[in-house]
């Protein structure tokens, strides 16, 4: 009886869903931090920073996330051992699938976030910087109170997309052995011979979160846009 | 933590075979995705709910679900129902590679549908009206005026989607297809050296992604030759004026409309 199967595995799936959400939230927070840091660094215009960014961005936007997850999971303790060796420490640190997945999501999605935030910073009118300076606002205050709120507004659609791809990319960490919702639904499907039931349940979990995200994002967008009158043009954003 | 060139060289032919599987999979899905998503985009834009609703449901379900779940659904779900049967469906769903093609096509086509739809909506209404006023048949208005422009508007987003999806094929080993990532993983299991095979595979993916990027960028440039010329002219004028980095005037409306 399919319904009984679903009830029987419900707790399993729920535990998996919690792991997925934990990984997605922490991965997104870290990716956002990395993205903002890269965007600020890139604004310095330092040629070394620019060159390092080019290599970083090109590699991590040009290589599947799964490979980065595998590399950090299988090779993680060797990499950490090597890094600790550089400062003269000898230790063996084991890497869990969650940690490897979190690191990989941070590194990969951080590159995409950096692109979004950089683009938003470029699109803040230059007059805003000049006006802040003319008013004698200190640079860090100008960034915090004048520039960043506008960057947030401009970056919101891109950052919403990144949240959805972080959420969906958590499924990849199942391949490194993380027992999140997709791995658990696969186990349940195999044990009960009810593939449709469990895979559609897992799919609905992702769809519901994505839909809730888009609703929340639309509300946030209205709030962030409250100071800006928008012409009603079909299609693109002005 | 080191790269072993001898192992990389030794495993090169296996890697290339895996790369070929990845490319074949991606090419089939791209072709099927285009074939499906143009009619779907038209259906989604349709005034008739009978057409618009199913198309919207298709996009919401297949776009919101991670590709891995779709692969499981097709391979374990439909495979279980049809795989043991004779006939076309049986042959289709008992073959892991074909299941992968179906699973990824469902995912990829739903993204492309939204891109084509956005492109179609961005075509100025006046063009359509002008074409109708000139007595061009509705079918030709669509095929020769709206669709070519929609493709032009959506090409940048399409390029991103093709690249994202090509990278997403790396999970296909979950349904036993031996692609580039699976080959690299197998070499790791045999040698316990994670770095050499995974970095080699990463290099192959990087080249593949950049070939796609370059190819589609060239196509975009070829389609928009007239705009590139305008952009360069604007740049000369604006740099002289205030030394600022110019914002291409001629393409601004178009790239924004495509987003």
């Amino acid at each position: 009886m399919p319904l009984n199967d679903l009830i029987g595995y419900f707790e399993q799936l729920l535990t998996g869903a919690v792991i997925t959400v934990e990984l997605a939230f922490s991965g997104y927070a870290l990716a956002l931090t990395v993205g903002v840091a890269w965007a600020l660094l890139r604004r310095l215009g330092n040629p070394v920073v620019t060159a390092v960014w080019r290599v970083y961005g090109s590699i991590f936007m040009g290589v599947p996330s799964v490979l980065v997850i595998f590399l950090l999971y299988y090779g993680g303790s060797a990499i950490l051992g090597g890094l600790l060796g550089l400062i003269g420490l000898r230790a063996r640190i084991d890497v869990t699938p969650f940690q490897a997945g979190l690191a990989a999501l941070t590194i990969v999605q951080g590159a995409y976030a950096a692109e979004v935030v950089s683009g938003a910073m470029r699109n803040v009118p230059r007059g805003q910087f000049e006006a802040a300076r003319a008013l004698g606002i200190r640079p860090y205050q100008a960034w915090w109170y004048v520039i960043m709120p506008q960057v947030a507004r401009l970056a919101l659609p891109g950052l919403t997309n990144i949240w959805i791809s972080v959420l969906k990319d958590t499924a990849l960490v199942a391949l490194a052995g993380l027992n999140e919702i997709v791995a658990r639904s696969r186990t349940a499907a195999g044990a009960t011979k009810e593939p449709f039931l469990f895979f559609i349940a897992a799919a609905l979990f992702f769809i519901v979160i994505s839909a809730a995200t888009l609703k929340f994002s639309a509300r946030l967008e209205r709030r962030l846009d409250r100071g800006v009158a928008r012409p009603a043009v079909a299609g693109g954003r002005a | 933590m080191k790269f072993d060139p001898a192992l990389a060289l030794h495993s090169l032919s296996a890697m290339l075979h895996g790369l070929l599987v990845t490319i074949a999979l991606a090419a089939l899905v791209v072709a099927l995705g285009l074939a499906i998503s143009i009619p779907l985009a038209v259906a989604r834009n349709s005034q008739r709910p009978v057409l618009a609703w199913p198309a919207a449901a298709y996009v919401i379900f297949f776009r919101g679900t991670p590709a891995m779940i779709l692969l499981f659904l097709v391979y374990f779900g439909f495979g279980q129902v049809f795989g043991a049967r004779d006939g076309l469906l049986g042959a289709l769903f008992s073959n892991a590679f074909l299941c992968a093609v179906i699973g990824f096509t469902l995912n990829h086509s739903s993204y492309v549908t939204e891109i084509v739809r956005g492109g179609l909506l961005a075509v100025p209404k006046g063009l359509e009206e002008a074409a109708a006023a000139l007595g061009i048949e509705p079918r030709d208005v669509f095929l020769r005026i709206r669709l070519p422009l929609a493709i032009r508007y959506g090409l940048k987003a399409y390029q991103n989607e093709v690249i994202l999806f090509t990278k997403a094929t790396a999970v296909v080993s979950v349904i036993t297809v031996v692609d580039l990532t699976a080959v690299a993983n197998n070499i790791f299991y045999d040698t316990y050296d994670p770095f050499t095979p995974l970095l080699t595979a990463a290099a192959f993916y990087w080249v593949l992604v950049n070939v796609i990027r370059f190819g589609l960028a060239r196509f975009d440039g070829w389609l928009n030759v007239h705009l590139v010329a305008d952009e360069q002219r604007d740049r000369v004028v604006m740099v002289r004026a205030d030394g600022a980095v110019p914002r291409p005037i001629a393409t601004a409306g178009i790239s924004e409309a495509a987003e």
Side-chain angles (χ1 to χ4, degrees):
Chain A
M1 184 60 192
L3 199 64
N4 284 336
D5 287 335
L6 190 61
I7 293 167
Y9 276 96
F10 186 73
E11 209 182 317
Q12 282 283 319
L13 294 182
L14 197 68
T15 315
V18 170
I19 295 173
T20 296
V21 170
E22 275 174 5
L23 180 58
F25 268 116
S26 44
Y28 187 62
L30 289 176
L32 209 57
T33 312
V34 167
V36 172
W38 264 123
L40 288 171
L41 280 173
R42 280 170 69 187
R43 271 198 84 87
L44 297 176
N46 180 315
V48 179
V49 172
T50 307
V52 174
W53 158 254
R54 286 238 171 95
V55 174
Y56 176 94
S58 175
I59 289 177
F60 291 109
M61 289 192 281
V63 158
S65 316
V66 193
L67 276 185
V68 182
I69 293 168
F70 282 154
L71 198 71
L72 294 182
Y73 182 54
Y74 299 143
S77 49
I79 293 171
L80 281 175
L83 288 177
L84 287 175
L86 290 179
I87 54 168
L89 285 173
R90 281 174 63 89
R92 187 181 157 72
I93 302 168
D94 284 320
V95 177
T96 65
F98 188 93
Q99 291 162 344
L102 181 59
L105 288 180
T106 303
I107 293 170
V108 173
Q109 299 292 340
Y112 287 99
E115 280 292 69
V116 169
V117 178
S118 284
M121 280 183 187
R122 268 200 305 277
N123 282 334
V124 173
R126 207 210 285 199
Q128 296 289 322
F129 293 87
E130 291 163 353
R133 210 165 65 200
L135 289 169
I137 301 174
R138 290 172 199 278
Y140 75 88
Q141 282 181 331
W143 270 97
W144 189 246
Y145 292 108
V146 180
I147 307 301
M148 276 317 210
Q150 301 185 63
V151 171
R153 183 178 76 83
L154 294 168
L156 184 68
L159 294 179
T160 306
N161 287 339
I162 289 178
W163 158 251
I164 290 174
S165 36
V166 169
L167 176 71
K168 291 207 284 179
D169 270 7
T170 58
L172 307 177
V173 190
L175 298 182
L178 183 69
N179 222 350
E180 43 68 81
I181 188 164
V182 180
R184 282 170 197 261
S185 61
R186 190 184 171 180
T187 309
T192 60
K193 301 267 180 288
E194 291 284 353
F196 287 106
L197 180 69
F198 287 103
F199 292 135
I200 289 177
L204 288 177
F205 164 79
F206 285 96
I207 291 167
V208 165
I209 296 191
S210 300
T213 302
L214 293 178
K215 244 200 158 72
F216 175 71
S217 161
R219 280 183 61 174
L220 199 60
E221 192 170 326
R222 270 203 299 280
R223 183 170 162 73
L224 290 174
D225 280 354
R226 67 196 184 281
V228 187
R230 289 197 162 193
V233 180
R237 42 185 36 262
Chain B
M1 190 185 159
K2 58 174 185 282
F3 189 83
D4 180 357
L7 176 60
L9 207 65
H10 182 71
S11 53
L12 199 62
S13 73
M15 287 272 187
L16 283 172
H17 190 266
L19 179 66
L20 225 59
V21 173
T22 296
I23 292 174
L25 176 62
L28 273 170
V29 173
V30 163
L32 283 171
L34 272 180
I36 294 176
S37 39
I38 293 173
L40 265 176
V42 175
R44 193 145 154 52
N45 277 344
S46 167
Q47 300 288 331
R48 290 182 210 158
V50 202
L51 292 175
W53 279 74
Y58 180 96
V59 168
I60 289 169
F61 188 82
F62 293 119
R63 202 166 70 138
T65 308
M68 214 163 102
I69 296 181
L70 294 177
L71 292 178
F72 286 153
L73 256 181
V74 174
Y75 186 66
F76 295 123
F78 289 102
Q80 184 181 304
V81 177
F82 299 109
R85 291 189 195 170
D86 292 331
L88 189 66
L89 283 176
L92 194 64
F93 287 109
S94 59
N95 181 320
F97 182 80
L98 294 177
C99 285
V101 171
I102 297 170
F104 280 119
T105 301
L106 293 172
N107 190 236
H108 176 65
S109 62
S110 61
Y111 278 96
V112 180
T113 298
E114 287 301 90
I115 293 168
V116 176
R117 174 175 171 257
L120 285 172
L121 287 176
V123 176
K125 202 88 184 136
L127 279 177
E128 229 175 302
E129 289 162 1
L134 288 169
I136 301 173
E137 285 187 30
R139 200 191 56 176
D140 283 345
V141 174
F142 179 76
L143 284 179
R144 289 166 184 263
I145 294 165
R146 287 186 64 206
L147 191 60
L149 277 171
I151 289 170
R152 193 174 287 181
Y153 295 161
L155 200 59
K156 186 80 193 147
Y158 182 68
Q159 175 189 314
N160 288 338
E161 164 51 23
V162 171
I163 287 169
L164 282 176
F165 138 75
T166 303
K167 291 190 292 174
T169 61
V171 300
V172 76
S173 61
V174 294
I175 59 166
T176 73
V177 175
V178 185
D179 72 329
L180 182 53
T181 304
V183 171
N185 256 334
N186 290 342
I187 295 168
F188 161 67
Y189 292 134
D190 289 345
T191 60
Y192 281 102
D193 172 1
F195 297 106
T196 309
L198 291 175
L199 291 176
T200 312
F204 277 122
Y205 276 110
W206 188 85
V207 171
L208 179 61
V209 160
N210 281 284
V211 166
I212 296 171
R213 190 195 306 282
F214 183 73
L216 284 172
R218 283 287 295 267
F219 182 54
D220 189 41
W222 180 76
L223 283 177
N224 291 313
V225 171
H226 55 297
L227 297 180
V228 172
D230 281 357
E231 195 180 323
Q232 278 163 357
R233 195 197 57 213
D234 293 339
R235 183 164 294 151
V236 173
V237 173
M238 286 187 63
V239 168
R240 264 190 220 141
D242 62 7
V245 181
R247 187 171 157 71
I249 292 166
T251 56
I254 286 167
S255 60
E256 278 162 13
E259 269 162 20

